[in-house]
Amino acid sequence: MEVPPPLVLKRPLYVPSKTLMGPGPSNCSQRVLEAMSNPILGQLHPECLQIMDEIKEGIKYIFQTLNDATMCISGSGHSGMEAAMSNLIEDGDVVLTGICGIWGHRAADMARRYGADVRYVEASFGRSLSLEEIKFAFHTHKPRVFFMAQGDSSTGILQGHIREIGELCRQYDCFLVVDVVASLGGTEFFMDEWKVDVAYTGSQKALGAPAGITPISFSKRALTHIRQRKTKPKVYYFDILLVGQYWGCYGMPRIYHHTISSTLLYGLREALANFCAMGLKSVVHRHKECSTRLQLGIEELGLEMFVAHESERLSTVNAIKVPFGVDWRKVAEYAMRKYNLEISGGLGPTVEHVFRIGLMGENATVEKVDMVLSILHEAIQSIKQRAP
Ligand code: PMP
């Protein structure tokens, strides 16, 4: 054999324990980690299907929806975005994306690949979109699909007005896709009441499950549209009619669609059970309280939040301006080296400009807020002293 077995794989696996307070993933609870060491099940074993049914109930609760087409895509948050776009879009459809950071651009990139005629409505730097801006864009573009991220993790912006946008979409016969990957659990979200047609969230953020399995839900109206498409969705793996049949959403016999990771199901099931036991209101309240405490602490340290308006700040991912003359990388390295603490830099429009501090799931506690503030302060002071 020309290729010998690699020496690196003879060494034992080493995984350090880190406190993950960047934009995600967040740390999993012991309950979630332990659940994932259960034996593997086959993807159509009744016990596995039972767990999937329980997960569906949990997702309906956290999304506040009664949609039958509620399931998971096997993949990270991006797969939720792909599933939303590939199922809704047909060639030539006008897709309007709201831009408050990178996620609107990412959705636009995907939409274009599925044959959409993509238009943008872009918020001013550091702001969310006003309802007037959105209404004007609808009037101009008359979109078939409107995409927005409720929480843009690249900027720490919270986009409001979803209820009003839901109404607007009905007036224009448009489908509303809301990315709640970074926001769910950190702010209110009512899928049915707000007339959202597709929502998906990240398992690895406020939910506190591992990445790789994405809760998603489609409204009845979206499902009817998908059933009446002229052509099949372009990606077999994300075809919601097939995935939903595997998840037992449509009252039809289950089919094999793909081999789901039973391990990820266990983790997600336990994360959802934990979330449900605490209750949606209390989870949201805790995330908001932690973010408020962080923001006050940031002010006390003489630092500034990137998003000027308090009401437009995401509680889960907090963007803080990097002080003049400080290299954010050195600060992040200091926190990681000395405390095994992840603080992240910016992304897209905020790259080099902000620190991003995630307060999600296990890490949305008063103790963790105080810890991250103290380490951030120490790191900045240390870097400043070392600066030439
Ligand atoms: N949307 C938003 C708002 C996100 O914050 C992220 C992850 N940072 C994603 C989508 C993509 O998720 P993933 O990295 O799990 O694919």
Side-chain angles (χ1 to χ4, degrees), residues 4 33 40 61 83 90 92 126 134 188 205 207 261 332:
L33 293 176
I40 302 299
Y61 173 68
E90 293 200 82
I134 294 169
E188 289 75 13
K205 308 243 178 184
L207 266 177
S261 161

Side-chain angles (χ1 to χ4, degrees), residues 69-86:
T70 299
M71 64 200 88
C72 288
I73 305 290
S74 290
S76 73
H78 276 86
S79 69
M81 198 183 271
E82 296 273 14
M85 295 301 172
S86 60

Side-chain angles (χ1 to χ4, degrees), residues 23-24 76-79 81 103 149 151-154 179-183 200 202 204-205 211-212 214 347:
S76 73
H78 276 86
S79 69
M81 198 183 271
W103 296 107
D152 193 304
S153 55
S154 68
D179 173 319
V180 292
V181 170
S183 59
Y200 56 90
Q204 75 273 26
K205 308 243 178 184
T214 295
L347 180 67

Side-chain angles (χ1 to χ4, degrees), residues 51-350:
I51 294 169
M52 290 163 73
D53 285 345
E54 290 165 7
I55 287 175
K56 277 194 294 188
E57 293 310 307
I59 300 172
K60 286 179 184 174
Y61 173 68
I62 64 170
F63 283 180
Q64 288 294 291
T65 183
L66 296 172
N67 290 335
D68 289 335
T70 299
M71 64 200 88
C72 288
I73 305 290
S74 290
S76 73
H78 276 86
S79 69
M81 198 183 271
E82 296 273 14
M85 295 301 172
S86 60
N87 281 280
L88 286 180
I89 297 169
E90 293 200 82
D91 280 340
D93 281 350
V94 174
V95 173
L96 177 66
T97 72
I99 313 262
C100 298
I102 73 154
W103 296 107
H105 288 294
R106 189 65 50 93
D109 186 337
M110 286 181 187
R112 210 172 282 116
R113 290 165 195 243
Y114 295 120
D117 171 2
V118 175
R119 319 283 173 91
Y120 301 102
V121 50
E122 189 158 0
S124 333
F125 193 64
R127 295 294 311 262
S128 66
L129 286 159
S130 70
L131 196 53
E132 287 64 41
E133 287 169 316
I134 294 169
K135 279 185 178 166
F136 186 72
F138 266 70
H139 181 71
T140 310
H141 303 295
K142 311 216 166 27
R144 189 75 176 113
V145 175
F146 177 63
F147 168 90
M148 57 173 270
Q150 186 186 28
D152 193 304
S153 55
S154 68
T155 51
I157 292 173
L158 172 70
Q159 175 64 56
H161 315 298
I162 303 180
R163 182 195 294 274
E164 293 79 3
I165 298 167
E167 283 300 335
L168 196 63
C169 284
R170 294 297 161 105
Q171 283 168 31
Y172 280 85
D173 196 20
C174 170
F175 295 102
L176 174 58
V177 178
V178 183
D179 173 319
V180 292
V181 170
S183 59
L184 197 89
T187 188
E188 289 75 13
F189 180 70
F190 301 102
M191 180 164 192
D192 288 0
E193 208 181 309
W194 292 352
K195 300 189 170 69
V196 174
D197 290 298
V198 186
Y200 56 90
T201 194
S203 50
Q204 75 273 26
K205 308 243 178 184
L207 266 177
I213 186 154
T214 295
I216 192 165
S217 184
F218 286 71
S219 69
K220 200 175 268 180
R221 180 171 169 261
L223 199 61
T224 305
H225 167 70
I226 294 163
R227 289 211 162 101
Q228 292 169 352
R229 287 176 61 104
K230 291 191 277 299
T231 53
K232 286 184 178 181
K234 290 187 178 165
V235 183
Y236 177 90
Y237 195 66
F238 297 133
D239 184 329
I240 220 67
L241 299 179
L242 300 176
V243 181
Q245 201 179 337
Y246 170 43
W247 275 80
C249 296
Y250 312 130
M252 291 148 78
R254 308 246 192 179
I255 49 154
Y256 160 69
H257 173 260
H258 66 283
T259 306
I260 205 158
S261 161
S262 55
T263 308
L264 290 181
L265 289 176
Y266 309 148
L268 179 59
R269 196 259 180 217
E270 290 304 272
L272 283 167
N274 188 36
F275 202 100
C276 294
M278 289 184 288
L280 200 46
K281 265 192 189 160
S282 114
V283 171
V284 169
H285 181 71
R286 179 165 54 84
H287 280 86
K288 283 187 177 174
E289 257 191 351
C290 284
S291 179
T292 304
R293 189 178 179 94
L294 182 84
Q295 291 171 38
L296 286 173
I298 287 297
E299 244 175 63
E300 278 167 19
L301 293 180
L303 300 172
E304 215 183 316
M305 298 300 291
F306 170 70
V307 181
H309 294 73
E310 232 178 285
S311 61
E312 296 174 14
R313 289 178 192 156
L314 195 53
S315 63
T316 43
V317 181
N318 299 266
I320 296 136
K321 287 186 187 170
V322 177
F324 183 72
V326 171
D327 181 347
W328 74 268
R329 263 185 210 85
K330 289 190 176 149
V331 174
E333 276 163 20
Y334 180 100
M336 183 57 82
R337 195 176 352 97
K338 193 158 173 200
Y339 296 102
N340 271 336
L341 169 70
E342 181 187 28
I343 293 175
S344 173
L347 180 67
T350 62

Side-chain angles (χ1 to χ4, degrees), residues 29-38 266:
S29 65
Q30 207 51 38
R31 175 178 179 176
V32 167
L33 293 176
E34 276 168 19
M36 289 193 295
S37 61
N38 272 294
Y266 309 148

